[in-house]
Amino acid sequence: MNETLAANMSGTQTWTEEEIRQQPASWMSALQHLDAQRGELDDWLATFYAQPNGRIILTGAGSSAFIGDIIAPYLARQLRANVVAIPTTDLVTNPMDYFPDDQPLLLVSFARSGNSPESVAAVQLANQFVPDCRHLIITCNATGDLYRFASEHDNARARLMPAETHDRGFAMTSSISTMMLSCLAIFAPQQFNTPRFSHVTECCEKIIQNHGDFSQSAFGDLDWQRVVYLGSGSLQGAARESALKVLELTAGQLAAFYESPVGFRHGPKSLVDDKTLVVLFVSGHPYTRQYDLDLLTELHREKIALRVVAITSQPAAEVAAGPHLYLPTTQTLNDIELAFCFLIYAQIFALTASLKSGITPDTPSASGTVNRVVQGVVIHPWQQQKEAH
């Protein structure tokens, strides 16, 4: 057993482990805080909703961007509005493609620190391009540049997450999930509030408790060389974030990929071999679920992967036919609620894989190739230039 894993098992807890464990409590704290602020925020949002043809962009960089990938389809359906997810890394390089000047815009920026160069540049470019522009900053850092931006601009509001979610570890864990929940509670308060979300919190608490000291992987302890996460619709965003956690916390020693179950057949499936772990996030929607179970059956039949693990809240013969995890809940969960549970499993797996590899998960990039707050980005001022047609 390597020294890092041994230390973890002896009770020396990393920041990353602490931040994974604290999530259920942080979620409840965030919801309670939002309840106290709801009146003022609802009035401010009403002024945007009153504008015809309004557009909501959910943005961030890295894990913060994946929040939008997970929740944008759900919010678009709930609000019956034009809600899209576009990373700040795209907004900054191609503002002319994403900021039409004839549509009212609400830019929702997710940021753990609020100090990433692209995050700050994106809000500035939005103001520059869009005459009718509003900003909602959802951040974990009261001293960050984005939080300060909100205090200095009349067209901006900020919502600060509980202090402990400003994760000290390298990889975002409690920060991403708490910002995701807070955004859902802001825009869909009837579906996401303290009483209604308690069953998700209880389920995730049980997942964490069931994995004890995190010395055992959530998906088994075999000699993986690559990991593939699969999810449909919003759960593809969760799969993407799960793959990133593995890459981050193992410093790239364990290769990780993501796809949709149906898209997986169109080429990406060729990467599966006898050293591959495939994790399938099974949708709770009865229609989408059919496609997930079809691929699960196919992977079981082909026996190419080292292991295929299905995670679901609902029993099925296709799931029981191979390695699987049933969520510890009797409640029926929609896919957005499932995403919180699936991300807990993925975070635990990534942490365990990091420790098994002899890596310090709080600072996995010993070379400094990547940093907790991105470095080396030069922001170029926007200038209208003639382009080729």
Side-chain angles (χ1 to χ4, degrees):
M1 182 182 298
N2 66 61
E3 292 180 1
T4 308
L5 182 55
N8 187 65
M9 292 180 67
S10 68
T12 305
Q13 193 174 88
T14 64
W15 288 336
T16 305
E17 179 182 347
E18 180 180 336
E19 287 151 4
I20 292 172
R21 292 186 183 279
Q22 75 188 12
Q23 287 174 99
S26 296
W27 297 341
M28 289 295 101
S29 177
L31 287 175
Q32 291 162 5
H33 188 60
L34 280 172
D35 286 343
Q37 300 177 318
R38 185 161 305 283
E40 185 273 336
L41 185 58
D42 285 350
D43 290 343
W44 184 76
L45 288 174
T47 64
F48 172 76
Y49 294 144
Q51 302 294 313
N53 200 31
R55 188 170 183 236
I56 300 174
I57 295 179
L58 308 180
T59 194
S63 291
S64 293
F66 304 158
I67 297 173
D69 289 341
I70 297 170
I71 68 176
Y74 176 83
L75 288 181
R77 188 169 71 249
Q78 290 294 319
L79 299 175
R80 298 185 179 180
N82 183 1
V83 183
V84 295
I86 306 173
T88 56
T89 47
D90 291 345
L91 295 178
V92 167
T93 59
N94 291 70
M96 60 286 187
D97 294 334
Y98 301 116
F99 289 142
D101 61 9
D102 60 346
Q103 286 183 285
L105 172 66
L106 174 57
L107 187 69
V108 182
S109 297
F110 301 105
R112 174 171 61 176
S113 72
N115 291 325
S116 296
E118 305 99 324
S119 297
V120 177
V123 297
Q124 294 171 340
L125 283 165
N127 275 350
Q128 188 174 348
F129 272 78
V130 185
D132 188 353
C133 180
R134 295 168 177 81
H135 298 274
L136 176 60
I137 311 296
I138 300 177
T139 183
C140 305
N141 183 14
T143 63
D145 291 338
L146 275 187
Y147 194 75
R148 184 166 56 251
F149 173 92
S151 68
E152 296 171 351
H153 291 77
D154 292 338
N155 65 336
R157 297 290 186 276
R159 287 300 174 264
L160 187 64
M161 302 298 98
E164 72 273 8
T165 66
H166 188 203
D167 297 330
R168 293 172 294 176
F170 172 77
M172 292 176 63
T173 51
S174 69
S175 52
I176 178 177
S177 61
T178 307
M179 288 192 290
M180 181 166 77
L181 174 59
S182 296
C183 186
L184 289 165
I186 288 168
F187 288 102
Q190 298 304 315
Q191 290 76 33
F192 288 88
N193 53 61
T194 304
R196 287 182 62 94
F197 197 72
S198 60
H199 63 281
V200 178
T201 301
E202 291 167 2
C203 179
C204 291
E205 286 176 339
K206 290 176 182 177
I207 294 170
I208 292 168
Q209 292 167 2
N210 290 346
H211 284 87
D213 60 8
F214 290 178
S215 62
Q216 298 298 315
S217 165
F219 309 133
D221 190 16
L222 299 174
D223 187 22
W224 328 111
Q225 292 184 0
R226 59 184 69 171
V227 182
V228 180
Y229 283 97
L230 302 173
S232 297
S234 293
L235 295 179
Q236 187 177 14
R240 188 177 189 182
E241 164 62 12
S242 299
L244 178 62
K245 281 295 155 285
V246 172
L247 287 173
E248 288 179 327
L249 290 181
T250 67
Q253 290 189 24
L254 190 56
F257 308 86
Y258 77 97
E259 242 308 345
S260 69
V262 174
F264 193 52
R265 295 187 180 94
H266 291 263
K269 188 180 172 187
S270 59
L271 62 84
V272 177
D273 60 14
D274 61 1
K275 295 294 184 179
T276 304
L277 166 66
V278 180
V279 181
L280 178 58
F281 295 153
V282 182
S283 173
H285 194 285
Y287 179 79
T288 306
R289 183 179 175 84
Q290 298 172 102
Y291 291 98
D292 298 343
L293 296 179
D294 285 347
L295 181 67
L296 183 62
T297 299
E298 182 178 309
L299 292 172
H300 285 159
R301 181 177 65 249
E302 293 175 341
K303 298 181 180 179
I304 300 173
L306 180 56
R307 175 167 289 178
V308 178
V309 178
I311 312 181
T312 179
S313 61
Q314 304 173 42
E318 297 90 339
V319 172
H324 59 274
L325 293 165
Y326 287 129
L327 296 182
T329 180
T330 58
Q331 301 289 326
T332 300
L333 305 181
N334 63 39
D335 281 1
I336 299 298
E337 293 170 327
L338 288 172
F340 288 90
C341 305
F342 294 161
L343 287 176
I344 294 289
Y345 278 115
Q347 291 169 359
I348 294 172
F349 173 77
L351 174 61
T352 306
S354 176
L355 296 168
K356 183 181 177 183
S357 299
I359 293 171
T360 302
D362 294 338
T363 54
S365 182
S367 66
T369 303
V370 290
N371 300 277
R372 184 175 175 276
V373 178
V374 71
Q375 300 177 13
V377 179
V378 176
I379 299 299
H380 300 279
W382 167 258
Q383 295 178 347
Q384 185 68 45
Q385 301 178 21
K386 188 176 181 179
E387 59 181 316
H389 295 283

